[in-house]
Amino acid sequence: MSGDSMLIPAIGISSSGLDAESRRMEVTANNLANAQTTKGVDGQVFRRKEVVFAARATETRMGREVPAGVEVRGVVDDMREPRRVYRPGHPDADPDGFVQMPDINPVEEMVNMMSATRAYEANLAVIKMAKTMATRALEIGK
Amino acid sequence: MDATRLMLKTVLDACQTRHAVLANNLANANTPGFRRCDVPFRAALNDAIRGGDRKALEQFSPEILEDRTAAVRNDGNSVSIQTELGSMMDNNILHGAAAQILSSKYERLKKAIKGQ
């Protein structure tokens, strides 16, 4: 009979999914919170951010290839141009009265949020099922 | 270990492998370029069982294959959350059935040993 049970790796795989999707939710929430930020920490207009997901390389365990889930490679700035809005009284307005605002679309962010939430919940279901399967296997012959 | 128990243990192990692969699909549900994989072990296992080759069963190692029939979205990803969850439930049921049969076999064995 072939080696180890794959259920423990399965839980690690799903955890990586939970981590990645919750990072994604954080970044999305941050985009929404900063939709009106004309001057960020770096003195520039806030730039929308995105997470970069990548599949983790398979690991070799006991001579078998075991998948390893997902990882967040990084958080990158979206390079779309900021919007120019006419607000002459604004403290960050340029000499012509225009303010640079982040080009953040709440609908786009909410769609990302829903997608991340759904994936998060699916990963939770996987962990639950792994627990059930492991408990069942342990109880055989008890 | 008799042939039936060996077969059932092989099914259990294959189901657990498949669960890990489906878990990986779901963890990568939003990874651009990721193609879903699966473990189509039932056909191969059926052959091993019908062939009656005990050694084939003992050495049975389910293969992890990329699913070429899955529809690919614009970002290159082919994972559908619904499909994965459905497959996972199927897999869970098969795992449960094998575990249950194995359990009852061990129950009877224990009773036989106790002389009941």
Side-chain angles (χ1 to χ4, degrees), chain B residues 22-47:
Chain B
L22 296 176
N24 194 51
N25 289 344
L26 272 172
N28 282 287
N30 292 304
T31 303
F34 180 85
R35 301 295 160 93
R36 82 171 293 266
C37 298
D38 209 333
V39 186
F41 65 85
R42 270 148 128 154
L45 189 54
N46 261 335
D47 289 342

PDB file of all heavy atoms in Angstrom, chain B residues 22-47:
ATOM      1  N   LEU B  22      -7.780  18.009  -4.843  1.00  0.00           N
ATOM      2  CA  LEU B  22      -8.921  18.919  -4.956  1.00  0.00           C
ATOM      3  C   LEU B  22      -8.714  20.131  -4.049  1.00  0.00           C
ATOM      4  O   LEU B  22      -9.067  21.261  -4.399  1.00  0.00           O
ATOM      5  CB  LEU B  22     -10.225  18.192  -4.599  1.00  0.00           C
ATOM      6  CG  LEU B  22     -10.614  17.041  -5.534  1.00  0.00           C
ATOM      7  CD1 LEU B  22     -11.871  16.330  -5.027  1.00  0.00           C
ATOM      8  CD2 LEU B  22     -10.846  17.537  -6.951  1.00  0.00           C
ATOM      9  N   ALA B  23      -8.127  19.909  -2.881  1.00  0.00           N
ATOM     10  CA  ALA B  23      -7.827  21.019  -1.973  1.00  0.00           C
ATOM     11  C   ALA B  23      -6.876  21.999  -2.650  1.00  0.00           C
ATOM     12  O   ALA B  23      -7.029  23.220  -2.528  1.00  0.00           O
ATOM     13  CB  ALA B  23      -7.188  20.492  -0.677  1.00  0.00           C
ATOM     14  N   ASN B  24      -5.895  21.454  -3.362  1.00  0.00           N
ATOM     15  CA  ASN B  24      -4.945  22.305  -4.071  1.00  0.00           C
ATOM     16  C   ASN B  24      -5.644  23.113  -5.164  1.00  0.00           C
ATOM     17  O   ASN B  24      -5.350  24.294  -5.374  1.00  0.00           O
ATOM     18  CB  ASN B  24      -3.840  21.449  -4.678  1.00  0.00           C
ATOM     19  CG  ASN B  24      -2.664  22.271  -5.139  1.00  0.00           C
ATOM     20  OD1 ASN B  24      -2.140  23.085  -4.387  1.00  0.00           O
ATOM     21  ND2 ASN B  24      -2.247  22.082  -6.370  1.00  0.00           N
ATOM     22  N   ASN B  25      -6.584  22.477  -5.855  1.00  0.00           N
ATOM     23  CA  ASN B  25      -7.360  23.199  -6.875  1.00  0.00           C
ATOM     24  C   ASN B  25      -8.066  24.390  -6.247  1.00  0.00           C
ATOM     25  O   ASN B  25      -8.021  25.508  -6.752  1.00  0.00           O
ATOM     26  CB  ASN B  25      -8.410  22.283  -7.514  1.00  0.00           C
ATOM     27  CG  ASN B  25      -7.795  21.228  -8.416  1.00  0.00           C
ATOM     28  OD1 ASN B  25      -6.636  21.334  -8.807  1.00  0.00           O
ATOM     29  ND2 ASN B  25      -8.565  20.204  -8.737  1.00  0.00           N
ATOM     30  N   LEU B  26      -8.730  24.150  -5.106  1.00  0.00           N
ATOM     31  CA  LEU B  26      -9.478  25.219  -4.466  1.00  0.00           C
ATOM     32  C   LEU B  26      -8.571  26.303  -3.911  1.00  0.00           C
ATOM     33  O   LEU B  26      -8.897  27.487  -3.991  1.00  0.00           O
ATOM     34  CB  LEU B  26     -10.375  24.659  -3.363  1.00  0.00           C
ATOM     35  CG  LEU B  26     -11.743  24.242  -3.890  1.00  0.00           C
ATOM     36  CD1 LEU B  26     -12.541  23.519  -2.830  1.00  0.00           C
ATOM     37  CD2 LEU B  26     -12.518  25.459  -4.365  1.00  0.00           C
ATOM     38  N   ALA B  27      -7.417  25.911  -3.354  1.00  0.00           N
ATOM     39  CA  ALA B  27      -6.484  26.921  -2.836  1.00  0.00           C
ATOM     40  C   ALA B  27      -6.030  27.824  -3.980  1.00  0.00           C
ATOM     41  O   ALA B  27      -5.751  29.004  -3.785  1.00  0.00           O
ATOM     42  CB  ALA B  27      -5.285  26.256  -2.173  1.00  0.00           C
ATOM     43  N   ASN B  28      -5.982  27.272  -5.208  1.00  0.00           N
ATOM     44  CA  ASN B  28      -5.532  28.026  -6.376  1.00  0.00           C
ATOM     45  C   ASN B  28      -6.678  28.481  -7.260  1.00  0.00           C
ATOM     46  O   ASN B  28      -6.489  28.747  -8.440  1.00  0.00           O
ATOM     47  CB  ASN B  28      -4.557  27.172  -7.188  1.00  0.00           C
ATOM     48  CG  ASN B  28      -3.175  27.140  -6.569  1.00  0.00           C
ATOM     49  OD1 ASN B  28      -2.434  28.108  -6.609  1.00  0.00           O
ATOM     50  ND2 ASN B  28      -2.854  26.012  -5.959  1.00  0.00           N
ATOM     51  N   ALA B  29      -7.878  28.604  -6.667  1.00  0.00           N
ATOM     52  CA  ALA B  29      -9.061  28.979  -7.448  1.00  0.00           C
ATOM     53  C   ALA B  29      -8.894  30.347  -8.103  1.00  0.00           C
ATOM     54  O   ALA B  29      -9.544  30.641  -9.103  1.00  0.00           O
ATOM     55  CB  ALA B  29     -10.304  28.982  -6.558  1.00  0.00           C
ATOM     56  N   ASN B  30      -8.038  31.192  -7.552  1.00  0.00           N
ATOM     57  CA  ASN B  30      -7.865  32.534  -8.106  1.00  0.00           C
ATOM     58  C   ASN B  30      -6.441  32.794  -8.556  1.00  0.00           C
ATOM     59  O   ASN B  30      -6.023  33.943  -8.666  1.00  0.00           O
ATOM     60  CB  ASN B  30      -8.295  33.584  -7.071  1.00  0.00           C
ATOM     61  CG  ASN B  30      -9.783  33.545  -6.831  1.00  0.00           C
ATOM     62  OD1 ASN B  30     -10.571  33.677  -7.752  1.00  0.00           O
ATOM     63  ND2 ASN B  30     -10.181  33.315  -5.594  1.00  0.00           N
ATOM     64  N   THR B  31      -5.690  31.728  -8.828  1.00  0.00           N
ATOM     65  CA  THR B  31      -4.319  31.884  -9.299  1.00  0.00           C
ATOM     66  C   THR B  31      -4.325  31.937 -10.808  1.00  0.00           C
ATOM     67  O   THR B  31      -4.703  30.965 -11.471  1.00  0.00           O
ATOM     68  CB  THR B  31      -3.459  30.692  -8.829  1.00  0.00           C
ATOM     69  OG1 THR B  31      -3.526  30.603  -7.415  1.00  0.00           O
ATOM     70  CG2 THR B  31      -2.028  30.861  -9.265  1.00  0.00           C
ATOM     71  N   PRO B  32      -3.861  33.052 -11.398  1.00  0.00           N
ATOM     72  CA  PRO B  32      -3.873  33.158 -12.861  1.00  0.00           C
ATOM     73  C   PRO B  32      -3.026  32.049 -13.482  1.00  0.00           C
ATOM     74  O   PRO B  32      -1.931  31.743 -12.990  1.00  0.00           O
ATOM     75  CB  PRO B  32      -3.237  34.533 -13.124  1.00  0.00           C
ATOM     76  CG  PRO B  32      -3.351  35.267 -11.844  1.00  0.00           C
ATOM     77  CD  PRO B  32      -3.341  34.247 -10.750  1.00  0.00           C
ATOM     78  N   GLY B  33      -3.533  31.429 -14.546  1.00  0.00           N
ATOM     79  CA  GLY B  33      -2.763  30.418 -15.258  1.00  0.00           C
ATOM     80  C   GLY B  33      -2.811  29.030 -14.652  1.00  0.00           C
ATOM     81  O   GLY B  33      -2.272  28.080 -15.223  1.00  0.00           O
ATOM     82  N   PHE B  34      -3.478  28.863 -13.511  1.00  0.00           N
ATOM     83  CA  PHE B  34      -3.501  27.558 -12.861  1.00  0.00           C
ATOM     84  C   PHE B  34      -4.546  26.655 -13.512  1.00  0.00           C
ATOM     85  O   PHE B  34      -5.696  27.036 -13.675  1.00  0.00           O
ATOM     86  CB  PHE B  34      -3.808  27.717 -11.373  1.00  0.00           C
ATOM     87  CG  PHE B  34      -3.843  26.406 -10.629  1.00  0.00           C
ATOM     88  CD1 PHE B  34      -2.680  25.834 -10.142  1.00  0.00           C
ATOM     89  CD2 PHE B  34      -5.046  25.735 -10.434  1.00  0.00           C
ATOM     90  CE1 PHE B  34      -2.711  24.627  -9.471  1.00  0.00           C
ATOM     91  CE2 PHE B  34      -5.096  24.526  -9.768  1.00  0.00           C
ATOM     92  CZ  PHE B  34      -3.916  23.978  -9.282  1.00  0.00           C
ATOM     93  N   ARG B  35      -4.125  25.403 -13.864  1.00  0.00           N
ATOM     94  CA  ARG B  35      -5.074  24.446 -14.445  1.00  0.00           C
ATOM     95  C   ARG B  35      -5.392  23.378 -13.410  1.00  0.00           C
ATOM     96  O   ARG B  35      -4.490  22.849 -12.760  1.00  0.00           O
ATOM     97  CB  ARG B  35      -4.451  23.763 -15.670  1.00  0.00           C
ATOM     98  CG  ARG B  35      -4.054  24.728 -16.755  1.00  0.00           C
ATOM     99  CD  ARG B  35      -5.271  25.418 -17.345  1.00  0.00           C
ATOM    100  NE  ARG B  35      -4.899  26.646 -18.041  1.00  0.00           N
ATOM    101  CZ  ARG B  35      -4.638  26.719 -19.335  1.00  0.00           C
ATOM    102  NH1 ARG B  35      -4.694  25.648 -20.076  1.00  0.00           N
ATOM    103  NH2 ARG B  35      -4.317  27.870 -19.870  1.00  0.00           N
ATOM    104  N   ARG B  36      -6.659  23.062 -13.290  1.00  0.00           N
ATOM    105  CA  ARG B  36      -7.066  22.096 -12.276  1.00  0.00           C
ATOM    106  C   ARG B  36      -6.501  20.703 -12.566  1.00  0.00           C
ATOM    107  O   ARG B  36      -6.266  20.324 -13.712  1.00  0.00           O
ATOM    108  CB  ARG B  36      -8.597  22.051 -12.147  1.00  0.00           C
ATOM    109  CG  ARG B  36      -9.304  21.211 -13.157  1.00  0.00           C
ATOM    110  CD  ARG B  36     -10.794  21.048 -12.824  1.00  0.00           C
ATOM    111  NE  ARG B  36     -11.017  20.275 -11.620  1.00  0.00           N
ATOM    112  CZ  ARG B  36     -11.235  18.966 -11.608  1.00  0.00           C
ATOM    113  NH1 ARG B  36     -11.247  18.288 -12.726  1.00  0.00           N
ATOM    114  NH2 ARG B  36     -11.431  18.339 -10.453  1.00  0.00           N
ATOM    115  N   CYS B  37      -6.242  19.968 -11.507  1.00  0.00           N
ATOM    116  CA  CYS B  37      -5.771  18.597 -11.621  1.00  0.00           C
ATOM    117  C   CYS B  37      -6.776  17.675 -10.946  1.00  0.00           C
ATOM    118  O   CYS B  37      -7.606  18.115 -10.161  1.00  0.00           O
ATOM    119  CB  CYS B  37      -4.416  18.430 -10.922  1.00  0.00           C
ATOM    120  SG  CYS B  37      -3.130  19.438 -11.648  1.00  0.00           S
ATOM    121  N   ASP B  38      -6.685  16.405 -11.266  1.00  0.00           N
ATOM    122  CA  ASP B  38      -7.549  15.440 -10.600  1.00  0.00           C
ATOM    123  C   ASP B  38      -6.841  14.102 -10.495  1.00  0.00           C
ATOM    124  O   ASP B  38      -5.755  13.918 -11.054  1.00  0.00           O
ATOM    125  CB  ASP B  38      -8.881  15.295 -11.357  1.00  0.00           C
ATOM    126  CG  ASP B  38     -10.028  14.924 -10.425  1.00  0.00           C
ATOM    127  OD1 ASP B  38      -9.770  14.284  -9.368  1.00  0.00           O
ATOM    128  OD2 ASP B  38     -11.179  15.261 -10.735  1.00  0.00           O
ATOM    129  N   VAL B  39      -7.454  13.183  -9.771  1.00  0.00           N
ATOM    130  CA  VAL B  39      -6.865  11.869  -9.577  1.00  0.00           C
ATOM    131  C   VAL B  39      -7.883  10.843 -10.057  1.00  0.00           C
ATOM    132  O   VAL B  39      -8.702  10.355  -9.282  1.00  0.00           O
ATOM    133  CB  VAL B  39      -6.543  11.630  -8.085  1.00  0.00           C
ATOM    134  CG1 VAL B  39      -5.809  10.323  -7.909  1.00  0.00           C
ATOM    135  CG2 VAL B  39      -5.729  12.773  -7.539  1.00  0.00           C
ATOM    136  N   PRO B  40      -7.874  10.498 -11.353  1.00  0.00           N
ATOM    137  CA  PRO B  40      -8.878   9.569 -11.874  1.00  0.00           C
ATOM    138  C   PRO B  40      -8.508   8.123 -11.565  1.00  0.00           C
ATOM    139  O   PRO B  40      -8.146   7.362 -12.451  1.00  0.00           O
ATOM    140  CB  PRO B  40      -8.841   9.845 -13.382  1.00  0.00           C
ATOM    141  CG  PRO B  40      -7.465  10.361 -13.651  1.00  0.00           C
ATOM    142  CD  PRO B  40      -6.924  10.949 -12.391  1.00  0.00           C
ATOM    143  N   PHE B  41      -8.621   7.749 -10.291  1.00  0.00           N
ATOM    144  CA  PHE B  41      -8.079   6.446  -9.887  1.00  0.00           C
ATOM    145  C   PHE B  41      -9.046   5.292 -10.075  1.00  0.00           C
ATOM    146  O   PHE B  41      -8.650   4.127 -10.062  1.00  0.00           O
ATOM    147  CB  PHE B  41      -7.604   6.492  -8.431  1.00  0.00           C
ATOM    148  CG  PHE B  41      -8.713   6.705  -7.428  1.00  0.00           C
ATOM    149  CD1 PHE B  41      -9.455   5.628  -6.961  1.00  0.00           C
ATOM    150  CD2 PHE B  41      -8.987   7.962  -6.939  1.00  0.00           C
ATOM    151  CE1 PHE B  41     -10.466   5.811  -6.024  1.00  0.00           C
ATOM    152  CE2 PHE B  41      -9.989   8.158  -6.010  1.00  0.00           C
ATOM    153  CZ  PHE B  41     -10.737   7.079  -5.552  1.00  0.00           C
ATOM    154  N   ARG B  42     -10.353   5.600 -10.245  1.00  0.00           N
ATOM    155  CA  ARG B  42     -11.333   4.509 -10.230  1.00  0.00           C
ATOM    156  C   ARG B  42     -11.131   3.479 -11.334  1.00  0.00           C
ATOM    157  O   ARG B  42     -11.169   2.291 -11.092  1.00  0.00           O
ATOM    158  CB  ARG B  42     -12.744   5.071 -10.300  1.00  0.00           C
ATOM    159  CG  ARG B  42     -13.270   5.323  -8.932  1.00  0.00           C
ATOM    160  CD  ARG B  42     -14.200   6.474  -8.929  1.00  0.00           C
ATOM    161  NE  ARG B  42     -15.458   6.096  -8.299  1.00  0.00           N
ATOM    162  CZ  ARG B  42     -16.280   6.929  -7.707  1.00  0.00           C
ATOM    163  NH1 ARG B  42     -15.992   8.198  -7.702  1.00  0.00           N
ATOM    164  NH2 ARG B  42     -17.393   6.499  -7.156  1.00  0.00           N
ATOM    165  N   ALA B  43     -10.861   3.959 -12.556  1.00  0.00           N
ATOM    166  CA  ALA B  43     -10.667   3.026 -13.674  1.00  0.00           C
ATOM    167  C   ALA B  43      -9.460   2.137 -13.427  1.00  0.00           C
ATOM    168  O   ALA B  43      -9.530   0.909 -13.535  1.00  0.00           O
ATOM    169  CB  ALA B  43     -10.496   3.805 -14.978  1.00  0.00           C
ATOM    170  N   ALA B  44      -8.329   2.780 -13.071  1.00  0.00           N
ATOM    171  CA  ALA B  44      -7.103   2.016 -12.843  1.00  0.00           C
ATOM    172  C   ALA B  44      -7.282   1.032 -11.689  1.00  0.00           C
ATOM    173  O   ALA B  44      -6.815  -0.111 -11.750  1.00  0.00           O
ATOM    174  CB  ALA B  44      -5.947   2.967 -12.557  1.00  0.00           C
ATOM    175  N   LEU B  45      -7.977   1.480 -10.643  1.00  0.00           N
ATOM    176  CA  LEU B  45      -8.170   0.605  -9.493  1.00  0.00           C
ATOM    177  C   LEU B  45      -9.064  -0.574  -9.857  1.00  0.00           C
ATOM    178  O   LEU B  45      -8.801  -1.714  -9.471  1.00  0.00           O
ATOM    179  CB  LEU B  45      -8.777   1.403  -8.330  1.00  0.00           C
ATOM    180  CG  LEU B  45      -8.838   0.691  -6.985  1.00  0.00           C
ATOM    181  CD1 LEU B  45      -7.461   0.178  -6.596  1.00  0.00           C
ATOM    182  CD2 LEU B  45      -9.357   1.623  -5.912  1.00  0.00           C
ATOM    183  N   ASN B  46     -10.117  -0.301 -10.613  1.00  0.00           N
ATOM    184  CA  ASN B  46     -10.988  -1.383 -11.085  1.00  0.00           C
ATOM    185  C   ASN B  46     -10.204  -2.441 -11.827  1.00  0.00           C
ATOM    186  O   ASN B  46     -10.377  -3.635 -11.616  1.00  0.00           O
ATOM    187  CB  ASN B  46     -12.061  -0.817 -12.028  1.00  0.00           C
ATOM    188  CG  ASN B  46     -13.360  -0.602 -11.306  1.00  0.00           C
ATOM    189  OD1 ASN B  46     -13.608  -1.266 -10.295  1.00  0.00           O
ATOM    190  ND2 ASN B  46     -14.174   0.301 -11.792  1.00  0.00           N
ATOM    191  N   ASP B  47      -9.310  -1.976 -12.712  1.00  0.00           N
ATOM    192  CA  ASP B  47      -8.478  -2.921 -13.465  1.00  0.00           C
ATOM    193  C   ASP B  47      -7.627  -3.754 -12.533  1.00  0.00           C
ATOM    194  O   ASP B  47      -7.534  -4.974 -12.684  1.00  0.00           O
ATOM    195  CB  ASP B  47      -7.568  -2.167 -14.451  1.00  0.00           C
ATOM    196  CG  ASP B  47      -8.344  -1.576 -15.593  1.00  0.00           C
ATOM    197  OD1 ASP B  47      -9.487  -2.024 -15.809  1.00  0.00           O
ATOM    198  OD2 ASP B  47      -7.815  -0.668 -16.258  1.00  0.00           O
TER     199      ASP B  47
END
